[in-house]
Amino acid sequence: MYILALVATLYHLSGSATVTALYPLLRVAGMTVGSTLSPVITLKLRLSRLLATCLGGQALGLSLLAVYMLVFGNEHPNVALLVGIVFLISILEGVASPVRSSLVALTVPEYSLLKANGVLAGVVQTCSLSGWTIGSIVVSWLGAGQVLILAALLLFGAWGASSLIRENDAALSDTAPATSWLCLIQTGWRQYYRVPELRVLLWMDIWEGLFRAVFAGALLLVFVGDRLHADEIWWGWLNGAYLGGFVIMSLFISRLSGYMQKLGLMLAVGSGCLASFTFGFGFLSTPLAALGVMLALGASQSVKDLAERTLYQTSVPPSELPPVFAAQSSIISLLYGVSLLLSGWIADTMGIQALYFFAAAAFAVSSAGALIYRKAFSSRQKETGTMEAVVD
């Protein structure tokens, strides 16, 4: 909801489509900066306290924006001030993202990680689907300033809830190393170099990240118009089908996590199906068929993401997870910006259909990494699966 409100606010203050289009770039840049600095900050505060600080800071930033919009915005528009606050909020969001992922492994036993990740992914995507569905209606009904207040109140609620989180003290590191900021920032990347499993997962993230934007935003809208020859309403339905498939599969996996013990197999199946369905999507010419394929794409993405996240959480000790997830978050944020530019260039020069063929090829290279992971580290996954079955 607050993303929609911020986009509306940018347009209201500037009246410029160019300035408004800067929001995705600002958000990606801010999240990349936040993720990069996250390893330094995580050594200063407990993760639960750091998460609460980030949520409180975002809520405060949105409150300031709302006050500005309601009191001063109409008479003295200051786009620079608005852009600055948006950038700072994105930095806090970039810090909080790896912290949330690390906290799961610090609060949940290893044998329940897949179940916990499935529940959280289902909740997050359900809220995302609801937010995009009703957000534009609420913004047009109440106005951007009032929606920013509502979003700030919700974030203050999240800030209060985060104070109830308690990490497993036994998994935390007691002492912080005395080293430079640069060395701390490099900690997560050194883990990628040290742990072979993480290098394979990084390979997958890079290839998928190069075309992560193909099922979001204007590119899908172009496909609906140029390839499907359908109305814009199908754009919303396709987005809803994708998120719906993701939510359904995430909750399904959380219910049957005790039987899904081979994470390497899940990773290979999910990434392979993602590449196959993306390739098939490029050939579609009817909206109804596209709706079904988008549902399958969302489900495939869910299987792949849940397996990958759980593998990340079990590849290193929980106390070493924050810098690893910070490195992953920074590369994903950076690649998303690259993906927007690369995908737009391919769509303009070669056509929107060719874009999805290129994406399918990149996803296929990513899925090759999943096959390598399964073959090289299958014995480790069998041990994890056995422990899961015994405990459940």
Side-chain angles (χ1 to χ4, degrees):
M1 290 175 64
Y2 87 79
I3 290 176
L4 288 169
L6 286 175
V7 170
T9 301
L10 272 172
Y11 186 72
H12 172 75
L13 289 181
S14 67
S16 168
T18 302
V19 173
T20 306
L22 286 176
Y23 176 78
L25 181 61
L26 279 172
R27 188 164 182 263
V28 167
M31 290 185 67
T32 302
V33 171
S35 298
T36 302
L37 296 177
S38 182
V40 179
I41 305 172
T42 53
L43 291 176
K44 307 297 182 182
L45 295 171
R46 293 179 66 92
L47 294 185
S48 56
R49 189 174 300 172
L50 179 57
L51 178 60
T53 301
C54 290
L55 291 170
Q58 291 179 70
L60 181 60
L62 288 181
S63 300
L64 293 175
L65 278 178
V67 170
Y68 178 83
M69 277 295 299
L70 295 174
V71 179
F72 304 107
N74 293 327
E75 297 179 2
H76 307 285
N78 189 329
V79 176
L81 175 63
L82 175 64
V83 166
I85 295 178
V86 168
F87 186 71
L88 290 176
I89 290 174
S90 299
I91 290 177
L92 292 174
E93 191 174 352
V95 174
S97 179
V99 170
R100 279 196 298 266
S101 299
S102 303
L103 275 171
V104 176
L106 287 168
T107 55
V108 177
E110 184 173 328
Y111 60 82
S112 295
L113 279 175
L114 182 59
K115 180 183 295 185
N117 288 326
V119 171
L120 287 172
V123 170
V124 168
Q125 294 300 331
T126 298
C127 292
S128 179
L129 178 59
S130 302
W132 285 110
T133 301
I134 68 173
S136 57
I137 299 175
V138 175
V139 170
S140 62
W141 177 40
L142 295 178
Q146 286 81 356
V147 171
L148 286 176
I149 291 178
L150 176 59
L153 291 174
L154 291 172
L155 276 172
F156 275 123
W159 167 71
S162 66
S163 65
L164 303 176
I165 298 175
R166 295 292 181 269
E167 301 102 314
N168 179 7
D169 290 333
L172 294 172
S173 177
D174 294 330
T175 59
T179 185
S180 66
W181 280 36
L182 181 60
C183 289
L184 291 175
I185 290 173
Q186 294 174 345
T187 302
W189 298 107
R190 285 198 294 268
Q191 290 283 35
Y192 276 112
Y193 178 79
R194 183 179 66 85
V195 182
E197 295 99 312
L198 292 180
R199 290 201 296 271
V200 178
L201 296 176
L202 177 62
W203 164 276
M204 296 182 63
D205 283 338
I206 290 174
W207 281 101
E208 184 182 343
L210 286 173
F211 290 91
R212 187 176 293 271
V214 296
F215 292 112
L219 294 170
L220 188 59
L221 180 61
V222 173
F223 186 87
V224 169
D226 291 358
R227 182 67 186 172
L228 302 183
H229 305 291
D231 296 331
E232 291 183 1
I233 191 173
W234 282 95
W235 177 50
W237 288 350
L238 291 179
N239 279 303
Y242 183 86
L243 290 176
F246 195 104
V247 169
I248 292 170
M249 183 56 70
S250 297
L251 297 178
F252 178 77
I253 289 175
S254 70
R255 294 286 295 177
L256 299 179
S257 59
Y259 303 96
M260 296 181 176
Q261 301 160 6
K262 297 182 179 179
L263 295 176
L265 177 61
M266 286 179 59
L267 187 69
V269 170
S271 58
C273 289
L274 185 64
S276 300
F277 286 125
T278 301
F279 183 72
F281 187 81
F283 287 103
L284 297 178
S285 58
T286 59
L288 196 59
L291 199 66
V293 172
M294 286 296 286
L295 189 70
L297 279 166
S300 302
Q301 187 76 61
S302 174
V303 173
K304 182 259 178 187
D305 285 358
L306 290 178
E308 182 183 45
R309 183 169 296 274
T310 306
L311 289 170
Y312 263 103
Q313 292 166 337
T314 56
S315 294
V316 297
S319 61
E320 299 175 13
L321 280 175
V324 172
F325 276 120
Q328 185 206 26
S329 181
S330 62
I331 191 65
I332 286 177
S333 298
L334 182 62
L335 284 173
Y336 188 77
V338 174
S339 176
L340 288 171
L341 299 175
L342 177 62
S343 299
W345 178 79
I346 292 175
D348 286 340
T349 57
M350 303 180 193
I352 192 65
Q353 185 181 28
L355 171 62
Y356 289 93
F357 295 151
F358 274 100
F363 295 165
V365 176
S366 175
S367 68
L371 295 175
I372 294 172
Y373 190 104
R374 186 179 176 225
K375 182 177 181 180
F377 309 111
S378 58
S379 59
R380 183 178 183 277
Q381 291 307 312
K382 288 178 181 178
E383 293 173 2
T384 302
T386 302
M387 181 192 70
E388 225 177 271
V390 169
V391 176
D392 282 352

